[in-house]
Amino acid sequence: MIQFLRTSLLTAFASALLAAGAIAQETIKVGEFASLTGKEAAFGQSSHKGTLLAVEDLNAAGGVLGRKIELLTEDNQSKQGESATIVKKLIARDKVVAILGEVASSRSLEAAPVCQAFKVPMISPSSTNPAVTEKGNYIFRVCFIDPFQGVVMAKFAKNTLKLKKLGLLTSVSSAYSVGLAKYFKERFIADGGEVVIEQKFSEGDKDFKAQLTAIKAAGVDGIFAPGYYTEAALICQQARGLGMNLPIFGGDGWEAPQLIELGGSAVEGTYYSTHYTPENSAPAVQDFVKKFRARFDGETPDAMAALGYDSMMVLADSIKRAGSAERPKIRAALAATKDYQGVTGNTTMDAERNATKAAVVITVKDGKFKFVESVNP
Ligand code: PHE
């Protein structure tokens, strides 16, 4: 009897402590893989800051299902072949319940088969190549995909820039670049435009003068160059150096402060499409911008930061709705995500586990990014 009393008293005492939060509940471990260093460090660092801010917000509000979120982040150094390895580590060693990442489609494509094989839900914040979520029913994203982005820029080229004869300059080693060029071209031609020349380069190339000279000789009135910011800045500089003062434009891969830092006056008047603008006056966006600036030294969040934030928030929302942090239950709740209101708009997962969201077009004016227009799906 005394023994019984003592145990039940102890149990009551323990649950009281638990309720008061005095005994730490087990955390919910979430893995993140990102390009924190290397060639596309701007992508990984920005996305990571957004994700981290979301984790801090969630934990400050008591966590999820009464448990704190523990974010475990691994760096793939922007290198090919690293992502599968570090994601395996996050799954096998750290036993994360879900994985967030990556920005670049090629690296999401490396990790997705691993997450699918281990049945660990993966959410890419900002990879736009359609093949990413085609890797299986555990793979999700919270952004639009390139068949849409390609149409947005094809229409912009034709209707706003009034271009008729284009040159394409794509990175053959980037699934993103190849895909976006294809979707863009299909639409531009369907709408009566002409693609008179297509030139290619590989990731890490620094000299584009041969390709640009060929494009110049072909007599184009504009260049679509869907690649990443490092190459885009050099392409613009070298084109201007060759006396090509025509419109050059790209997709979301152009977005990073480095585009302007590296490109200088050569990127003035260029355009690209992306997922979000800090100029959006919607309260959700302005609250986020304010919070982000306060947390990160006055830095203004870009699209990767906003999508990084939303990816973590959509995951947390799914865990709450699932009432469980078990992987298959999280997966089912993620698939059922409907009208989740985030910083980058509403997230509803379609049958292919993709989100449908508006795109924005940005230009560079007086050394600053400037919102041009918003395009609804
Ligand atoms: N969408 C690009 C890709 O899939 C990555 C990216 C997203 C880059 C957002 C910048 C901003 O590779």
Side-chain angles (χ1 to χ4, degrees), residues 217-234:
V220 301
D221 52 17
I223 301 174
F224 183 54
Y228 292 147
Y229 62 94
T230 32
E231 282 108 13
L234 292 175

Side-chain angles (χ1 to χ4, degrees), residues 5-290:
L5 241 179
R6 195 188 284 152
T7 339
S8 47
L9 268 176
L10 271 176
T11 317
F13 183 62
S15 20
L17 275 179
L18 254 179
I23 291 181
Q25 277 251 44
E26 222 185 299
T27 60
I28 296 176
K29 289 185 180 174
V30 174
E32 180 199 23
F33 69 111
S35 54
L36 295 175
T37 58
K39 206 172 146 276
E40 280 105 32
F43 287 169
Q45 284 177 14
S46 190
S47 185
H48 173 65
K49 282 178 189 158
T51 306
L52 186 63
L53 186 61
V55 170
E56 290 173 357
D57 279 359
L58 288 162
N59 286 343
V64 178
L65 306 179
R67 293 161 65 184
K68 291 277 154 77
I69 301 284
E70 184 180 346
L71 184 66
L72 297 133
T73 307
E74 290 283 336
D75 177 17
N76 56 31
Q77 301 159 272
S78 307
K79 281 188 194 149
Q80 261 180 31
E82 280 295 314
S83 294
T85 315
I86 58 179
V87 161
K88 269 182 210 149
K89 227 192 265 175
L90 287 167
I91 296 171
R93 180 197 60 194
D94 300 323
K95 315 267 186 296
V96 299
V97 301
I99 298 268
L100 302 175
E102 226 250 27
V103 174
S105 290
S106 301
R107 292 190 283 269
S108 288
L109 283 166
E110 284 179 27
V114 177
C115 292
Q116 182 63 34
F118 285 93
K119 293 195 161 47
V120 177
M122 168 178 146
I123 309 174
S124 166
S126 47
S127 287
T128 46
N129 187 276
V132 172
T133 46
E134 286 165 10
K135 294 291 172 199
N137 66 344
Y138 270 77
I139 318 300
F140 298 83
R141 81 180 100 214
V142 293
C143 60
F144 58 64
I145 55 175
D146 287 332
F148 169 64
Q149 181 165 221
V151 168
V152 167
M153 284 321 267
K155 282 189 180 166
F156 183 76
K158 182 157 183 293
N159 303 335
T160 308
L161 300 177
K162 311 268 183 237
L163 302 176
K164 295 190 173 67
K165 292 169 76 174
L166 283 182
L168 295 190
L169 188 47
T170 55
S171 166
V172 287
S173 45
S174 155
Y176 157 76
S177 188
V178 171
L180 186 52
K182 171 176 168 268
Y183 301 117
F184 172 90
K185 182 181 161 185
E186 281 169 7
R187 185 51 175 249
F188 190 70
I189 291 174
D191 285 350
E194 250 186 285
V195 171
V196 292
I197 181 165
E198 288 180 60
Q199 290 286 301
K200 300 184 178 352
F201 61 91
S202 287
E203 213 180 305
D205 283 1
K206 298 216 155 42
D207 189 346
F208 306 92
K209 289 199 257 336
Q211 293 94 322
L212 288 166
T213 304
I215 293 176
K216 191 180 179 187
V220 301
D221 52 17
I223 301 174
F224 183 54
Y228 292 147
Y229 62 94
T230 32
E231 282 108 13
L234 292 175
I235 287 168
C236 292
Q237 272 176 343
Q238 292 169 22
R240 305 310 181 210
L242 290 166
M244 304 169 80
N245 292 315
L246 36 70
I248 309 180
F249 53 106
D252 56 352
W254 277 36
E255 177 148 344
Q258 285 81 349
L259 180 79
I260 296 176
E261 282 162 29
L262 302 167
S265 62
V267 298
E268 275 289 310
T270 57
Y271 298 90
Y272 66 85
S273 46
T274 188
H275 307 259
Y276 135 110
T277 168
E279 291 178 62
N280 186 336
S281 61
V285 175
Q286 288 314 311
D287 286 351
F288 171 69
V289 170
K290 219 170 106 191

Side-chain angles (χ1 to χ4, degrees), residues 342-362:
V343 177
T344 57
N346 285 8
T347 302
T348 295
M349 288 299 167
D350 66 18
E352 275 75 50
R353 299 166 302 282
N354 301 319
T356 303
K357 288 178 176 174
V360 297
V361 178
I362 305 282

